[in-house]
């Protein structure tokens, strides 16, 4: 269905090709997963299928890409629209109209599908994706998972034979991600659609893939094979694979179910070991963050109600809960972006919404969901200099922090041209320049690959050990299990669970990391814990 | 006034009824309780139908499950107590006339949905008709009546959609225009002669070359009244446009454009969806300034986020362009070169003709050939657009239909305009009362009655469904 013949893509002004020597053949009706670290050309590969590379992005493409027999050299993206459906990373930038039903029809209108056919297909798609209840709703009022489903539906109505998805579940909470993946499964199995998908959150998707295209490093030709074969050699892999490698299982299990069936012996071995010590939090006596019966309203909506939260120095707290549960609002309230409508809030010894910004940065720092919002300057060096000025720190402080968080961020680069990991490191350094004792992070691992994530985890651990109070809002259960001392689950603006990370994540399947699911009921959360426990034994 | 069966057992109830409660409240707790919602809706619309089931041809009712229990609700003592009039009529009408009731039901405006949505053009014709009427009079009472009629229709028929909320903004804009007009009249004086001096402001001496301009000086009641009428006329026009904006989805109006203009229409729609994004971006980036320890309030903060906001908007538009391209936007059909040339010639020539014709019509000299040139130009332009539409392969999904109700709405607007224009010839003094000497405005009865025709849409246009949030609230509470 999709053929790459020795494809090399070089963008204008780039020294190295973004993709080189790619030869691929993806048969009809397969769910094919593209994996690899950040910056190896996954998005370029996907763009070449829909024709956006090079027609839209510019650059030079050697070789030939054919989709359903059509050569992308001679067919522009709009002429491929009836065979390839593309959904990008951000569903919001995909929408042309303002209501769900119009959006589903938009692609068909462009292709000139007959009105009664359009009507029938819209109804079918509404049912297929479970959107019938939402048909008249303005798109802006939908949740993230719903928007992602609408985006997928909007390309499905033209009955494409290939569906290209770039990180469809990265921004979604676990439940919404399940929703989207269930839809993709149905498409592949019931309609024979070929799905080509790139995703960093492998723990969510790898078990559904028929084939994996692994791009090991920039400029290296891809390796293609079954998911189990590829995961055995892949530099990026989900925890279930990590555990499988550790235990020496072959073939590697890809789903929790497979791993659980194999894990009997491992569970027995671990039963002999001492259960992992709860992450060593040495909480200081004084709470750095405290809210009491905090309520926040935005417009007429009560986003938070009666939230009691205390975070002490040296403690890391993960805030979890579905999209729209109020996690981000709670973090913004802690930096004074929203004034509480009732209750009290205190962070770093000040009342945030009554403190002047210049004073507040020394008490509490927030890395927002989109780190780029924090960055204004043209170059990394200028950004660091500005951060030193803002915080009144010694010149060079910020630059040293960037180097400590992530070595090798080029001085002269524009912040927009950095990779996700580099940008996060820069934003984190900018925030840390003022040495706030309280550090808040909103969804820090979105778009990060496993390597960048583990560097972030290591750095945050150091900060917590140095006495920072850290609060992170995240959908990433693996991150929470890895890092947090305490997990607080928000639902509908209220705290529904608050306790030690192990207890909370073990007690709710939705928030349990893969290792915990495999080794339940024993309280192991991460591959690292298991490795540590097994080490002296072997 | 809640027909919630809160106290079971206090009223006798049939077995069947009790069963239905038990079953529904057990399996689906939410839908079983919220009888108040549909019951309330029936009451509010004043139906006297014997059987609620007949009068409720609304398949998309907010509560889908418990239709059975709603129907039984008519016989539920609790519900009856909650709306005695409806119940009385129910029992009275129980035996007779099963045929008359559906007719009355049919005359009532249906619940608005995608399928029966009124054509956006009809709303605009209505609003422009009201605006035309307003432009023909300076009688404050008539202008106030126009605003009241438009306001009533908006209140009765606007939905909860984002564009519908713009009405308030238009009202405020109208007020601002009125105030500005008054301030100018007070500061700069007025050409109207007047004898009732209200106050004398200190006059600013101006050099001789600025003769004829006056700043300050006498403020007369006549001048203020004249300015008030003038400003009110402008404000009323704005309110009429605002009403059209609130009642008709602008995107749907653009969907009715001819195929050749489609791309221009998309540009407008995209721009409109971008505006809210921009506002959100500005708010987010100002918040981010606070995180950097810079002031997030004030003009400077706003200016400094300008560049990042523009950058973000640019990036978003590039992403949107990529998405639109890969979704088939701009696919064109092959059209012979001859047709393309003919299209260009017809459109260009037609537009030139329209311009020349309009000029001739408006200027005093060319009254004779103005109209024919205008008509020929118009014809050529329309033919050009029709030909141009051949290049587009697009089809339309569920276009709005121009049905009887659309005719009624558009017709009421046209009638209001026509009656007011006729009244200008019939009684000019009542429509345009002189500011000097001062007189209290009288309400001319015939033109006022004509304006009331503009209320028709409030009864014939499909009624919007109750807001989902408002509907969900009481339902939840009832469930508790």
């Amino acid at each position: 269905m999709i053929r790459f013949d020795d494809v090399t893509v070089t963008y204008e002004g780039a020294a190295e090709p973004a993709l080189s020597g790619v030869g691929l053949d993806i048969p009809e009706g397969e769910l094919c997963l593209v994996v690899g670290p950040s910056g190896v050309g996954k998005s370029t590969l996907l763009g070449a299928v829909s024709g956006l590379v090079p027609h839209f992005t510019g650059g030079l493409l050697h070789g030939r890409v054919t989709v359903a027999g059509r050569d992308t050299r001679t067919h522009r993206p709009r002429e491929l629209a009836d065979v390839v459906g593309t959904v990008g990373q951000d569903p919001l930038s995909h929408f042309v109209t303002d209501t769900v039903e119009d959006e589903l029809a938009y692609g068909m209108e462009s292709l000139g599908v007959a009105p009664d056919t359009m009507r029938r297909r819209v109804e079918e798609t509404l049912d297929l994706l479970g959107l019938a209840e939402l048909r008249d709703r303005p798109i802006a009022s939908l949740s993230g998972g719903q928007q992602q489903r609408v985006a997928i539906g909007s390309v499905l109505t033209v009955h494409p034979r290939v569906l290209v998805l770039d990180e469809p579940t990265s921004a979604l909470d676990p439940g919404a991600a399940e929703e989207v993946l269930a839809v993709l499964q149905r498409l592949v199995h019931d309609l024979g659609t070929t799905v080509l998908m790139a995703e960093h959150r492998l723990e969510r998707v790898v078990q559904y893939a028929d084939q994996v295209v692994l791009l090991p490093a920039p400029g290296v030709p891809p390796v293609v094979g079954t998911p189990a074969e590829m995961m055995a050699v892949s530099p990026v892999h989900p925890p279930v694979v990590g555990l499988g490698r550790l235990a020496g299982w072959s073939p590697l299990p890809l789903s929790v179910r497979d791993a659980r069936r194999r894990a009997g012996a491992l569970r027995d071995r671990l039963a002999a070991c001492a259960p992992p010590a709860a992450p060593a939090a040495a909480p200081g006596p004084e709470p750095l963050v405290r809210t009491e019966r905090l309520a926040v309203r935005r417009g007429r909506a009560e986003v938070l109600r009666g939230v009691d939260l205390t975070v002490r120095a040296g403690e890391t707290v993960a805030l979890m809960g579905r999209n729209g549960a109020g996690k981000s609002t709670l973090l913004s309230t802690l930096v004074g972006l929203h004034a509480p409508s009732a209750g009290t809030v205190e962070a770093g010894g000040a009342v945030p919404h009554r403190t002047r910004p210049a004073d507040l940065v020394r008490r509490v720092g927030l890395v927002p969901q989109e780190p780029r919002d924090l960055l204004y300057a043209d170059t990394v060096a200028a950004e660091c200099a500005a951060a030193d000025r803002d915080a009144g720190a010694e010149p060079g402080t910020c630059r040293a922090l960037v180097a400590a968080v992530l070595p090798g961020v080029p001085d002269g680069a524009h912040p927009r041209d950095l990779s996700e990991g580099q940008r996060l490191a820069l934003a984190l350094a900018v925030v840390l320049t003022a040495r706030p004792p309280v550090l808040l992070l909103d969804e820090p691992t979105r778009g990060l690959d496993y390597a960048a994530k583990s560097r972030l985890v290591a750095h945050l651990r150091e900060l917590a050990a140095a006495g920072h109070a850290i609060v992170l809002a995240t959908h990433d259960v693996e991150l929470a299990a890895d890092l947090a001392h305490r997990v607080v689950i928000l639902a509908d603006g209220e705290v529904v669970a608050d306790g030690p990370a192990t207890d909370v994540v073990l007690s709710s399947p939705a928030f349990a990391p893969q290792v915990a699911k495999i080794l339940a009921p024993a309280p192991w959360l991460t591959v690292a814990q298991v490795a540590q426990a097994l080490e002296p034994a072997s | 006034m809640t027909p919630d069966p809160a106290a079971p057992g206090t009223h006798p109830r049939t077995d069947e009824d009790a069963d239905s409660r038990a079953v529904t409240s057990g399996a689906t707790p939410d839908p079983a309780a919220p009888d108040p919602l549909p019951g309330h809706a029936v009451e509010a619309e004043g139906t006297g139908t014997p059987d609620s089931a007949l009068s409720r041809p609304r398949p998309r009712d907010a509560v889908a499950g418990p239709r059975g229990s709603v129907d039984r609700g008519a016989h539920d003592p609790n519900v009856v107590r909650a709306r005695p009039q409806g119940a009385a009529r129910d029992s009275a009408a129980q035996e007779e006339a099963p045929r008359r009731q559906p007719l009355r039901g049919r005359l009532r405006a249906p619940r608005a949905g995608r399928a029966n949505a009124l054509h956006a053009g009809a709303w605009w014709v209505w609003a422009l008709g009201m605006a035309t009427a307003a432009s023909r009079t300076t009688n404050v009472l008539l202008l106030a009546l126009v605003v009241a009629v438009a306001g009533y229709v908006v209140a009765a028929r606007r939905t909860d959609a984002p564009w519908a909320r713009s009405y308030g903004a238009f009202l405020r804009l109208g007020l601002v225009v009125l105030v500005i007009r008054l301030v100018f009249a007070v500061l700069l004086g007025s050409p109207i002669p007047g004898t009732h001096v209200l106050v004398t402001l200190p006059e600013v001496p101006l050099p001789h070359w600025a003769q004829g301009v006056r700043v300050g000086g006498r403020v007369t009641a006549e001048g203020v009244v004249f300015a008030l009428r003038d400003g009110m006329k402008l404000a009323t026009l704005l309110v009429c446009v605002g009403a059209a904006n609130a009642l008709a989805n602008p995107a749907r109006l653009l969907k009715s454009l001819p195929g050749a203009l489609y791309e221009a229409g998309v540009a407008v729609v995209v721009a409109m969806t971008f505006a809210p994004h921009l506002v959100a971006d500005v708010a987010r980036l100002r918040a981010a300034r606070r995180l950097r320890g810079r002031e997030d309030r004030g003009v400077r903060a706003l200016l400094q986020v300008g560049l990042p906001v523009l950058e973000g908007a640019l990036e978003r538009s590039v992403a949107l362009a990529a998405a639109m391209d890969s979704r088939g936007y701009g696919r064109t059909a092959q059209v012979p070169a001859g047709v393309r040339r003919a299209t260009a010639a017809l459109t260009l020539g037609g537009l030139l003709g329209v311009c020349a014709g309009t000029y001739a019509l408006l200027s005093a000299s060319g009254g004779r050939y103005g109209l024919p040139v205008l008509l020929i130009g118009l014809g050529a332009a329309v033919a050009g657009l029709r030909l141009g539409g051949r290049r587009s392969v697009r089809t339309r999904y569920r276009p709005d239909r121009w049905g009887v109700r659309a005719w009624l709405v558009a017709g009421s607007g046209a009638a209001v305009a026509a009656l007011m224009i006729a009244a200008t010839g019939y009684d000019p003094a009542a429509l345009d009362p002189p500011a000097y000497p001062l007189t209290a405005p009288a309400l001319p009865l015939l033109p006022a009655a004509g304006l009331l025709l503009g209320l028709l849409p409030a009864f014939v246009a499909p009624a919007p469904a109750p807001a989902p949030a408002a509907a969900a609230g009481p339902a939840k509470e009832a469930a508790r």
Side-chain angles (χ1 to χ4, degrees):
Chain A
M1 179 54 56
I2 306 172
R3 268 186 79 90
F4 279 69
D5 287 327
D6 196 23
V7 172
T8 300
V9 179
T10 315
Y11 287 118
E12 218 166 305
E16 303 282 312
L19 209 60
S20 72
V22 178
L24 276 182
D25 194 0
I26 300 168
E28 184 160 6
E30 284 215 340
L31 200 162
C32 178
L33 187 64
V34 182
V35 303
S38 299
V40 290
K42 294 193 294 294
S43 296
T44 306
L45 183 77
L46 299 186
V49 174
S50 57
L52 289 173
V53 176
H55 288 292
F56 195 84
T57 57
L60 194 64
L61 185 141
H62 287 285
R64 180 208 295 263
V65 181
T66 49
V67 183
R70 292 189 207 172
D71 191 335
T72 59
R73 280 185 302 186
T74 51
H75 290 78
R76 298 175 55 74
R78 65 188 70 153
E79 286 141 9
L80 290 166
D82 52 335
V83 292
V84 183
T86 311
V87 180
Q89 287 184 13
D90 178 14
L92 266 185
S93 66
H94 172 93
F95 297 131
V96 186
T97 62
D98 48 6
T99 61
V100 171
E101 204 174 340
D102 286 332
E103 192 61 38
L104 292 184
Y106 177 80
M108 292 188 288
E109 288 183 321
S110 300
L111 300 182
V113 175
D116 31 347
T117 316
M118 278 202 274
R119 183 69 199 275
R120 208 183 59 235
R121 286 193 191 169
V122 166
E123 300 298 332
E124 287 165 5
T125 310
L126 285 171
D127 284 341
L128 181 70
L129 302 189
L131 292 170
E133 303 282 304
L134 310 172
R135 60 189 305 161
D136 285 332
R137 289 269 296 275
I139 288 173
S141 69
L142 302 180
S143 73
Q146 290 168 336
Q147 284 179 351
Q148 191 64 265
R149 277 188 292 155
V150 173
I152 293 176
S154 71
V155 298
L156 277 186
T157 45
V158 301
H159 286 192
R161 298 169 65 190
V162 176
L163 198 57
V164 176
L165 304 159
D166 199 351
E167 305 223 15
T169 73
S170 282
L172 303 183
D173 60 70
E178 291 289 325
E179 255 171 41
V180 170
L181 289 169
V183 163
L184 294 180
Q185 278 282 85
R186 252 180 108 177
L187 292 178
V188 171
H189 287 260
D190 297 357
L191 304 179
T193 314
T194 310
V195 175
L196 184 66
M197 163 164 73
E199 179 62 68
H200 278 309
R201 301 261 172 107
L202 289 178
E203 64 269 20
R204 289 177 171 174
V205 294
V206 78
Q207 71 239 43
Y208 301 117
D210 298 306
Q211 205 183 137
V212 169
V213 174
L214 170 65
L215 293 160
V220 178
V223 198
V224 186
T226 63
E229 289 166 21
M230 289 301 103
M231 282 302 114
V233 296
S234 167
V236 291
H237 54 78
V240 61
V241 169
L243 192 69
R245 283 190 189 177
L246 184 74
W249 292 327
S250 173
L252 276 174
L254 298 174
S255 66
V256 168
R257 177 169 171 265
D258 290 349
R260 228 187 128 70
R261 281 149 55 139
R262 312 274 285 279
L266 181 65
R267 275 199 293 268
D268 292 343
R269 261 172 80 194
L270 285 170
C273 306
E286 78 282 25
L288 283 174
V289 173
R290 184 165 52 197
T291 70
E292 270 167 21
R293 293 185 311 282
L294 173 70
V296 175
R297 292 176 63 155
R298 297 174 81 169
R300 300 179 63 181
E302 287 190 323
V303 189
L304 293 175
R305 264 192 307 270
V307 173
D308 290 316
L309 180 73
T310 317
V311 187
R312 296 173 187 282
E315 204 177 18
T316 305
V317 172
L319 280 180
M320 305 189 77
R322 67 177 82 85
N323 294 58
K327 303 186 295 292
S328 296
T329 307
L330 180 53
L331 291 191
S332 343
T333 310
L334 291 179
V335 289
L337 295 176
H338 305 296
S341 59
T344 58
V345 57
E346 200 186 297
V351 179
H353 57 282
R354 300 225 184 89
T355 311
R356 290 195 42 229
D359 184 26
L360 195 67
V361 284
R362 278 175 247 278
R363 299 170 181 274
V364 51
L366 167 67
V367 179
Q369 203 166 63
E370 187 57 70
R372 202 161 72 203
D373 290 351
L374 273 187
L375 310 175
Y376 302 102
D378 294 340
T379 61
V380 172
E383 199 65 69
C384 287
D388 291 338
R389 267 201 312 280
D390 286 340
E394 291 278 302
T397 312
C398 179
R399 186 66 200 135
L401 278 167
V402 176
V405 180
L406 180 64
V409 179
D411 246 337
H414 193 289
R416 194 180 33 243
D417 296 334
L418 300 176
S419 75
E420 297 274 354
Q422 289 174 326
R423 211 178 297 141
L424 181 72
L426 180 58
L428 185 60
V430 164
V431 167
L432 287 176
T433 307
R435 304 174 177 281
V438 181
L439 180 63
L440 315 171
L441 299 108
D442 195 353
E443 208 57 57
T445 56
R446 183 179 183 177
L448 292 193
D449 60 10
Y450 288 99
K453 209 161 109 177
S454 63
R455 267 197 307 272
L456 176 75
V457 166
H459 195 80
L460 292 180
R461 278 219 184 98
E462 281 171 28
L463 288 173
H468 284 79
I470 301 178
V471 182
L472 34 96
T474 185
H475 291 315
D476 191 337
V477 293
E478 308 294 339
L479 177 79
D482 222 4
L483 194 59
H485 302 124
R486 245 171 70 209
V487 171
V488 173
I489 296 179
L490 285 179
D492 207 13
E494 292 168 5
V495 173
V496 294
D498 180 358
T502 321
D503 298 355
V504 174
V505 299
L506 285 181
S507 65
S508 75
F511 296 108
Q514 284 192 313
V515 172
K517 285 181 187 161
I518 296 167
L519 299 177
W524 305 88
L525 298 185
T526 63
V527 180
Q529 285 175 352
V530 175
Q532 214 176 11
L534 292 180
E535 215 164 62
S538 61
Chain B
M1 234 356 230
T2 49
D4 184 15
T10 51
H11 293 270
R13 199 183 274 163
T14 63
D15 282 349
E16 177 203 36
D17 203 50
D19 275 350
S20 79
R21 295 264 173 244
V23 170
T24 40
S25 66
T28 50
D30 209 296
D35 271 359
L37 167 65
H40 180 73
V42 168
E43 182 192 30
E45 286 160 29
T47 53
T49 47
D51 186 348
S52 323
L54 274 181
S55 74
R56 193 172 291 114
R58 295 194 291 268
R60 291 157 11 81
D61 221 320
V63 188
R67 183 134 324 136
S69 78
V70 168
D71 296 342
R72 283 181 212 103
H75 310 292
D76 186 329
N78 279 321
V79 179
V80 168
R81 185 194 52 183
R83 42 188 176 104
Q85 303 144 323
R89 267 180 282 164
D90 277 5
S91 49
Q94 196 81 47
E95 278 93 42
E96 38 125 24
R99 295 179 60 193
R100 209 185 68 211
Q101 298 304 335
L103 177 71
R104 267 171 77 182
R106 241 187 303 157
L107 280 183
R108 229 158 28 94
R111 180 69 44 87
R114 169 96 194 197
N116 62 6
L118 201 68
H119 198 287
W123 281 122
W124 274 97
V125 171
W126 170 79
L128 290 179
M130 298 295 289
T132 311
S135 72
R136 291 290 162 146
T137 175
T138 54
N139 186 325
V140 181
L141 293 177
L142 285 177
L143 288 173
L145 191 61
V146 171
V147 173
V149 166
Y152 181 76
V153 173
V154 168
R157 286 301 182 258
R158 81 163 154 180
T159 57
D160 205 26
W163 57 85
R165 297 184 205 132
S166 65
Y167 186 65
F170 273 93
L171 276 182
R172 278 188 292 264
L173 187 65
L175 266 184
V176 168
V177 166
L178 186 60
V179 169
I180 290 180
R181 182 70 183 83
L182 276 179
V183 167
F184 269 75
V186 167
L187 284 186
L188 299 182
S190 157
I192 300 295
T195 49
H196 300 77
V197 179
L198 292 178
V199 66
T200 308
L201 296 179
E203 195 165 340
V204 180
L206 289 176
H208 67 93
W209 47 261
Q211 256 178 355
V213 181
R214 190 176 59 123
V215 179
R218 288 187 318 141
V219 178
T220 62
E222 286 85 353
V224 170
V225 165
F226 180 77
L228 184 74
R229 284 181 187 165
D230 218 35
M232 194 152 166
K233 187 153 122 183
L234 280 176
T236 309
L237 293 183
L238 277 173
V239 168
C240 289
V241 172
N245 219 20
L247 291 164
N249 182 347
R252 294 277 274 279
L253 181 67
L254 289 165
K255 273 188 99 169
S256 324
L257 284 179
L261 292 182
Y262 164 74
E263 283 165 26
V266 166
V268 175
V269 170
V270 167
M272 284 191 312
T273 52
F274 255 65
H277 283 304
L278 273 186
V279 173
D281 276 357
V282 170
R284 221 183 58 235
L285 285 165
R286 282 176 73 174
R289 282 181 60 81
R290 189 181 172 85
L291 303 179
R292 289 287 298 258
R294 305 176 189 180
E295 282 298 329
D296 57 341
R297 303 203 174 87
V299 180
R300 224 175 120 225
L302 194 61
L303 287 181
Q304 283 189 354
V305 298
L307 197 63
V309 165
L310 285 183
E311 256 176 33
L314 203 64
E315 265 167 47
R316 204 186 343 256
S317 36
V318 169
L320 180 65
M324 285 171 71
D325 200 6
S326 63
R327 290 173 73 186
Y329 174 77
R331 271 163 84 112
T332 48
Q334 287 301 321
V335 173
V339 175
R340 274 210 305 273
R341 265 179 241 127
T343 309
L346 277 175
T347 316
L348 256 180
L351 288 180
L352 273 180
V354 170
C355 291
T358 316
Y359 179 76
L361 263 187
L362 292 181
S363 67
S365 56
R368 194 169 308 144
Y369 58 87
L371 195 63
V373 170
L374 178 66
L375 288 181
I376 291 171
L378 216 55
V382 167
L385 286 180
R386 291 293 288 271
L387 263 186
R390 279 212 210 162
R391 265 188 84 220
S392 157
V393 295
R394 292 183 57 82
T395 44
R396 288 203 181 125
Y397 175 74
R398 296 184 80 179
D400 288 337
R401 290 205 183 79
W402 191 286
V404 179
R405 288 176 195 278
W407 277 118
L408 285 174
V409 169
S412 76
V416 167
L419 284 176
M420 189 60 90
I421 290 172
T424 349
Y426 164 78
D427 188 6
L431 294 187
D432 219 350
Y436 179 83
L438 275 182
T439 42
L443 184 69
L445 282 181
L446 270 175
L451 281 179
L452 288 181
L453 270 182
L455 283 176
L456 190 64
F459 303 102
V460 300
K476 262 187 196 166
E477 266 163 37
R480 274 182 213 133

